[in-house]
């Protein structure tokens, strides 16, 4: 031990001491303060080791310095800066359950305002250990218990250490990429980058990404909107007066059906319907449904679907728009438009962590007043699956928040149980329903979780009916993206009654159909439309149903009910489908026969024109988002969103205040029910609620006199 301690008297030994101390306090933060989910042993190993490679690289920089005092000063400064970065993330995470981005650091004043109370309230006793090593080491240097090394290191020694750091980082990166492909290009959650590559790597990566976005935006000009506006105005489809305003003044409830594909509608397995309740809604006289509606997501998957639904602009060619640009982009989306044009309150209900897909920040920029994420629910034990709270529990446990929102409201429920790998606890399975037996567990289990989702929706609808919300609402049900991937579609083919040997790219493309239903309980005249459309078309369709004109907004979709609706559906990879043809990698298929076409000159010219239009539309949307051009565009009557107004940690404090202030004039369901909760009206057979539980989760209401962040 004495010989080991004596090695700290060498420059290399001193650097190693600092590195080990920093590694240990990083692990303290990892396992005590950060709540990062580790799904397998490899992730656990990477999580433990990932602070080391970047720390070796950073500390090795000081090894090139020859002057003794400057060496010790420099390496201590590097260690202090690294510790400051670590500790700032600890404090920030305690308040926001997220890691600090470079944009957040640069906007420190806004961050400081966002930290409720004082930073003292966010400290813990164990914080002492983040700084104790530095105090002790500096003290040992001053008292010369650690002697300074006057011997200059050869530059080769420094280079060897730096090389070791890069080698270790390269190995970590390679293993991470194998375990989580497209880790950096997809970037759907900051926590994933941290748990695979470490906090330092995340900060550097985020800084580079922030700088790139900043450079792109710095050169952007207002004049670049000209081509976009020209396209949008020419592309605009005026509303069909038979449908315009049909849902005027109604609440809007969006049910996001995770991974739910159109082929599930009316599908029977072993003589039983997979989704009997959704089938009932689909065929109801109060529903306008579309059977040629396609998802259009890219790498952003669910977040791409949300973006298209909220803004009628496309996701990015690579990665997620929410994750990459959502932190500081200007949006003109549904929550903001409905608030300013119709006085709507807004909220999202989702049983996953708030930072996933950067939702906790992007939602504020969209204008959502409330976001009830996993922190608002009891997700302990078997109540939660890999991507959050089970659907039956999400709907049931959200009632205590929904009933306090002022009507009309715009709310979105993000379900998760029907998510890959489609696992479902045995107690949650319907004993009377048996899935198919294809030999592919993913395919077989998909039908089981879809059936569970159907039961969840049925329970929620029962609550809407009992409370009378159904007659006052339009419910939008849509599938966000595929559930079964192309690689497994040949196994799915057996269930669909098709020969797997004949399955091709055309069949894959046709399975991009997902449901879209606009359901208005109590009305008649509904029908199933065969119109071709995609997720990009939902917002203009919904706004027109609510009686809100979209003529002056920049939206790339068109009203599905309009006679001028554009029926060419663009996919993110520049493929497309229309009423007659499907184009996949420049190969044209006839939709009726599914056979490849060899177009004549006249048809080829038509195809080329459609392809050019698809490319132009996608490129204009990319330009709009990547350059943040909406900051230059101000439609009459629509004010820019101020995200600083929203603080999702404050729960429903403002809504409770409104109820008290308005007294008899409050429009919340709670007030309409005589200031009594409607929770008892919700009936669910979720077995988790019948277990003995230590759940102390309650409605999250802060001091009613405190600033709710939404004035």
């Amino acid at each position: 031990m004495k010989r080991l301690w004596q090695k700290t008297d060498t420059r290399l030994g001193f650097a190693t001491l600092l590195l080990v101390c920093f590694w240990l306090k990083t692990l303290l933060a990892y396992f005590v303060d950060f709540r990062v989910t580790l799904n397998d042993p490899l992730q656990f190993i990477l999580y433990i080791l990932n602070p080391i490679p970047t720390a070796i690289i950073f500390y090795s920089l000081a090894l090139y310095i020859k002057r003794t005092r400057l060496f010790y000063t420099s390496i201590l400064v590097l260690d202090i800066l690294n510790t400051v970065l670590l500790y700032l993330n600890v404090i920030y995470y305690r308040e926001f359950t997220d890691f600090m981005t470079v944009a957040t650091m640069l906007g420190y004043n806004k961050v400081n305002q966002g930290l409720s109370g004082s930073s003292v309230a966010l400290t813990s006793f164990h914080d002492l250990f983040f700084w104790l090593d530095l105090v002790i080491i500096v003290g040992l240097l001053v008292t010369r218990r650690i002697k300074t090394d006057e011997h200059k290191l050869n530059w080769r020694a420094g280079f060897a250490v730096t090389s070791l750091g890069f080698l270790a980082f390269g190995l970590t990166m390679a293993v991470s990429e194998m375990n989580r492909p497209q880790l950096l290009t997809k970037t759907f959650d900051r926590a994933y980058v941290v748990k695979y590559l470490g906090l330092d790597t995340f900060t550097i990566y985020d800084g580079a990404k922030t700088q790139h976005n900043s450079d792109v935006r710095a050169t952007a000009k207002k004049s670049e909107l000209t081509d976009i506006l020209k396209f949008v105005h020419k592309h605009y489809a005026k509303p069909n007066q038979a449908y315009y305003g049909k849902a005027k003044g109604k609440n809007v409830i969006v049910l996001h059906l995770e991974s739910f594909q159109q082929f599930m509608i009316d599908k029977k397995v072993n003589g039983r319907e997979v989704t009997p309740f959704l089938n009932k809604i689909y065929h109801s006289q109060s529903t306008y449904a579309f059977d040629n509606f396609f998802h259009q997501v890219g790498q952003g998957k669910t977040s791409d679907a949300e973006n298209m639904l909220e803004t009628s602009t496309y996701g990015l060619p690579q990665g997620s728009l929410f994750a990459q640009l959502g932190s500081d982009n200007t949006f003109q989306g549904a929550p903001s438009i409905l608030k300013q044009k119709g006085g709507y309150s807004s909220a999202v209900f989702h049983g996953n962590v708030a930072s996933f897909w950067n939702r906790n920040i992007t939602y504020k920029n969209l204008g959502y007043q409330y976001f009830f994420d996993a922190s608002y629910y009891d997700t302990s034990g078997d109540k939660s699956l890999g991507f959050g709270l089970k659907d039956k529990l999400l709907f049931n446990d959200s009632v205590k928040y929904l009933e306090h929102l002022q009507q009309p409201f715009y709310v979105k429920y993000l379900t998760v149980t029907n998510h890959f790998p489609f696992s479902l606890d045995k107690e949650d399975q319907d004993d009377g329903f048996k899935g198919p037996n294809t030999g592919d567990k993913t395919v077989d289990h998909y039908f089981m979780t879809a059936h569970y989702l159907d039961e969840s929706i049925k329970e929620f609808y029962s609550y809407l009916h009992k409370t009378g919300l159904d007659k006052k609402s339009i419910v939008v049900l849509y599938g966000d993206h595929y559930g079964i991937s192309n690689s497994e579609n040949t196994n799915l083919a057996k269930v669909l009654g098709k020969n797997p040997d004949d399955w091709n790219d055309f069949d894959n493309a046709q399975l991009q159909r997902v449901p879209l239903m606009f359901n208005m309980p109590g009305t008649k005249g509904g029908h199933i439309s065969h119109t071709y459309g995609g997720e990009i078309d939902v917002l203009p369709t919904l706004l027109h149903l609510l009686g809100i004109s979209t003529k002056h907004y920049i939206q790339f979709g068109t009203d599905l009910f309009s006679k001028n609706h554009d029926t060419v559906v663009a996919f993110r990879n520049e493929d497309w489908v229309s009423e007659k043809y499907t184009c996949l990698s420049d190969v044209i298929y006839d939709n009726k026969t599914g056979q490849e076409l060899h177009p004549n000159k006249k048809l080829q010219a038509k195809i080329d024109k459609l392809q050019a239009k698809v490319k132009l539309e996608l490129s204009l949307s990319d330009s709009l988002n990547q350059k943040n051009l909406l900051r230059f565009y101000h439609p009459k009557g629509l004010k820019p969103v101020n995200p600083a107004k929203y603080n999702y940690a404050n729960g429903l404090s403002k809504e409770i205040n409104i109820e008290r202030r308005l007294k008899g004039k409050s429009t919340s369901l709670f007030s309409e029910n005589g200031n009594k909760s409607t929770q008892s009206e919700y009936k669910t057979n979720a077995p988790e609620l019948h277990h003995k539980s230590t759940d102390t989760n309650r409605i999250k209401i802060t001091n009613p006199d405190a600033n709710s962040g939404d004035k």
Side-chain angles (χ1 to χ4, degrees):
M1 180 65 71
K2 185 176 180 181
R3 287 188 59 191
L4 189 63
W5 177 253
Q6 287 174 343
K7 288 186 178 180
T8 60
D9 294 339
T10 67
R11 294 191 181 192
L12 200 56
F14 185 74
T16 303
L17 174 64
L18 291 180
L19 188 148
V20 170
C21 289
F22 178 74
W23 176 53
L24 291 175
K25 56 193 179 187
T26 301
L27 294 184
L28 174 66
Y30 276 10
F31 291 102
V32 177
D33 294 291
F34 301 154
R35 295 190 293 277
V36 175
T37 303
L38 302 172
N39 298 317
D40 57 57
L42 183 57
Q43 286 185 4
F44 183 80
I45 294 170
L46 288 170
Y47 194 53
I48 290 177
L49 298 179
N50 70 37
I52 297 176
T54 47
I56 292 175
I57 295 169
F58 288 150
Y59 294 150
S60 72
L61 298 176
L63 298 178
Y64 296 95
I65 299 174
K66 295 183 178 181
R67 291 173 56 189
T68 303
R69 181 173 294 182
L70 186 58
F71 162 77
Y72 283 95
T73 301
S74 299
I75 199 166
L76 281 170
V77 168
L78 286 170
D79 190 50
I80 291 170
L81 290 174
N82 230 6
T83 302
V84 168
L85 175 65
L86 175 65
Y87 189 64
L88 283 176
N89 272 277
V90 167
I91 294 296
Y92 188 80
Y93 197 96
R94 286 173 185 165
E95 177 68 6
F96 298 106
T97 320
D98 198 6
F99 299 100
M100 288 186 76
T101 64
V102 170
T104 302
M105 295 177 199
L106 294 175
Y108 173 75
N109 289 335
K110 293 181 181 178
V111 176
N112 194 41
Q113 291 171 9
L115 292 173
S116 59
S118 67
S119 55
V120 174
L122 296 171
T123 57
S124 253
F125 175 77
H126 72 265
D127 290 1
L128 173 70
F129 295 102
F130 290 113
W131 304 101
L132 187 60
D133 65 309
L134 277 165
V135 174
I136 293 174
I137 289 171
V138 170
L140 291 174
L141 274 174
V142 171
T143 59
R144 299 192 61 78
R145 295 295 299 272
I146 294 179
K147 297 180 176 60
T148 56
D149 184 5
E150 303 292 337
H151 298 91
K152 302 171 185 177
L153 276 177
N154 189 297
W155 70 268
R156 291 185 181 85
F159 182 74
V161 176
T162 304
S163 299
L164 176 64
F166 276 109
L167 179 64
F169 178 78
L171 181 62
T172 303
M173 185 71 213
V175 175
S176 300
E177 187 67 21
M178 285 189 292
N179 191 258
R180 169 58 66 180
Q182 298 177 310
L183 175 63
L184 295 181
T185 55
K186 226 173 176 182
T187 323
F188 45 83
D189 190 357
R190 286 182 279 276
Y192 270 74
V193 180
V194 172
K195 77 177 177 181
Y196 279 106
L197 302 177
L199 191 58
D200 285 341
T201 302
F202 161 72
T203 304
I204 294 170
Y205 168 72
D206 182 70
K209 189 174 66 175
T210 301
Q211 184 60 48
H212 171 72
N213 292 339
S214 178
D215 291 343
V216 169
R217 295 172 184 210
T219 59
K221 299 176 183 177
K222 186 177 181 179
S223 59
E224 293 180 83
L225 277 170
T226 303
D227 289 340
I228 295 172
L229 288 169
K230 182 179 178 181
F231 175 88
V232 169
H233 290 157
K234 184 178 179 181
H235 195 231
Y236 169 75
K238 63 181 181 180
N240 185 328
Q241 291 304 314
Y243 300 94
Y244 189 78
K246 202 170 184 66
K248 188 175 180 64
K250 285 182 176 286
N251 298 314
V252 179
I253 302 173
V254 178
L255 300 184
H256 175 108
L257 309 179
E258 172 62 42
S259 304
F260 195 89
Q261 294 174 249
Q262 176 67 21
F263 71 79
M264 279 295 194
I265 298 294
D266 290 335
K267 184 64 186 172
K268 288 186 177 181
V269 174
N270 298 321
R272 281 196 58 181
E273 292 178 285
V274 181
T275 57
F277 187 72
L278 285 172
N279 297 344
K280 181 180 177 181
I281 296 175
Y282 183 72
H283 292 286
S284 169
Q285 280 291 303
S286 62
T287 299
Y288 298 96
F290 296 83
D291 60 2
N292 286 313
F293 179 78
F294 292 78
H295 81 75
Q296 298 168 282
V297 305
Q299 290 181 340
K301 299 290 284 294
T302 296
S303 68
D304 277 1
E306 288 188 78
N307 174 68
M308 283 183 278
L309 191 83
E310 307 284 13
T311 71
S312 193
T313 67
Y314 291 95
L316 299 177
Q318 285 188 322
S320 162
L321 187 147
F322 270 30
Q324 294 185 20
L325 304 176
S327 296
D328 52 6
N329 246 32
T330 299
F331 295 102
Q332 292 172 3
S336 175
I337 293 172
L338 290 178
K339 180 180 181 181
Q340 297 186 52
K341 297 296 182 180
Y344 281 70
S345 60
S346 56
V348 180
F349 302 98
H350 186 35
N352 199 355
V353 294
S355 63
F356 201 80
W357 289 127
N358 197 33
R359 287 187 176 106
N360 55 330
I361 298 177
T362 306
Y363 282 166
K364 292 178 182 178
N365 286 327
L366 279 166
Y368 270 113
Q369 292 172 277
Y370 302 102
F371 178 22
F372 301 103
D373 67 285
S375 67
Y376 284 86
Y377 307 101
D378 175 18
T379 59
S380 63
D382 57 3
K383 295 182 177 68
S384 182
L385 294 170
F387 286 87
L389 190 67
K390 293 177 182 177
D391 297 342
K392 289 183 180 180
L393 300 176
L394 172 70
F395 287 116
N396 177 78
D397 296 352
S398 294
V399 166
K400 57 192 174 188
Y401 306 121
L402 177 70
E403 65 184 2
H404 287 285
L405 295 177
Q406 294 296 302
Q407 300 181 74
F409 51 65
Y410 173 78
V411 297
K412 179 169 63 176
Y413 284 83
L414 295 171
T415 63
V416 299
T417 307
N418 192 45
H419 194 296
F420 180 84
F422 312 113
S423 57
L424 192 65
D425 294 336
K426 187 171 181 57
E427 62 182 4
D428 290 309
Q429 297 176 17
D430 178 356
D431 291 336
F433 178 78
K434 303 298 180 185
N437 185 19
T438 66
D440 184 325
K441 289 185 178 180
T442 298
V443 173
D444 296 343
H445 292 172
Y446 179 62
F447 287 82
M448 303 297 290
T449 53
H451 185 71
Y452 175 91
L453 171 61
D454 183 74
E455 292 179 325
S456 306
I457 302 296
K458 182 179 180 180
E459 291 178 352
F460 181 61
Y461 258 81
S462 176
Y463 167 78
L464 294 179
H465 179 67
K466 288 178 181 178
T467 58
L469 277 179
D470 57 345
K471 299 294 196 306
K472 297 190 291 183
S473 305
I474 176 172
V475 185
V476 183
L477 304 96
Y478 84 109
D480 62 341
H481 55 72
Y482 64 86
I484 305 300
S485 66
N486 288 351
S487 62
E488 291 161 326
N489 279 343
T490 51
N491 294 321
L492 176 64
K494 305 170 188 175
V495 188
L496 301 180
K498 294 189 176 184
N499 187 345
D501 295 332
D502 296 332
W503 197 270
N504 59 18
D505 290 341
F506 173 80
D507 296 303
N508 288 333
Q510 302 313 304
L511 279 189
Q512 287 196 214
R513 284 182 175 82
V514 292
L516 174 66
M517 306 175 224
F518 295 97
N519 177 236
M520 289 181 280
T523 64
K524 291 187 177 181
H527 60 270
I528 299 171
S529 171
H530 306 307
T531 299
Y532 274 65
E535 289 166 333
I536 202 76
D537 301 314
V538 174
L539 181 60
T541 307
L542 175 62
L543 290 179
H544 285 174
L545 283 170
L546 296 172
I548 298 173
S549 173
T550 63
K551 189 171 185 178
H552 300 294
Y553 298 130
I554 293 180
Q555 297 176 354
F556 289 91
T558 56
D559 185 346
L560 288 161
F561 294 113
S562 173
K563 296 176 182 178
N564 305 117
H565 167 65
D566 182 1
T567 57
V568 178
V569 183
F571 298 145
R572 184 56 263 192
N573 61 357
E574 297 184 353
D575 288 343
W576 52 270
V577 62
S578 69
E579 293 175 309
K580 292 184 178 181
Y581 310 110
T582 296
C583 180
L584 307 172
S585 301
D586 295 325
V587 177
I588 310 300
Y589 295 89
D590 184 299
N591 285 352
K592 286 185 177 180
T593 65
Q595 299 300 310
E596 182 179 343
L597 289 177
H598 300 283
N600 56 33
K601 191 173 183 179
K602 184 178 180 180
L603 179 57
Q604 188 62 55
K606 183 178 180 180
I607 297 296
D608 290 344
K609 186 177 180 180
L610 292 177
Q611 185 68 67
K613 179 259 177 188
V614 166
K615 289 185 177 181
L616 175 62
E617 185 172 350
L618 290 169
S619 67
L620 290 175
S621 177
D622 291 342
S623 180
L624 180 78
N625 286 317
Q626 290 171 339
K627 297 177 181 178
N628 195 21
L629 295 178
L630 276 179
R631 62 191 152 136
F632 301 128
Y633 185 67
H634 308 290
K636 185 178 179 180
L638 188 69
K639 297 178 182 178
V641 172
N642 179 7
K645 292 171 61 177
Y646 308 114
N647 186 343
Y648 296 149
N650 283 338
L652 281 168
S653 57
K654 184 191 175 187
E655 296 301 315
I656 301 300
N657 283 336
I658 290 174
E659 286 177 337
R660 292 169 179 169
R661 189 171 65 249
L662 294 177
K663 295 182 179 179
K665 295 182 180 179
S666 170
T667 61
S668 72
L669 183 61
F670 182 84
S671 297
E672 291 180 347
N673 196 45
N675 293 327
K676 296 178 182 178
S677 176
T678 59
Q679 182 75 57
S680 61
E681 299 293 347
Y682 204 100
K683 305 300 179 185
T684 176
N685 65 2
E688 297 83 3
L689 295 182
H690 302 296
H691 295 168
K692 288 185 178 180
S693 174
T694 58
D695 177 21
T696 58
N697 199 357
R698 296 291 184 266
I699 186 167
K700 196 171 183 179
I701 303 174
T702 56
N703 179 357
D705 298 320
N707 175 20
S708 72
D710 180 21
K711 291 184 176 178

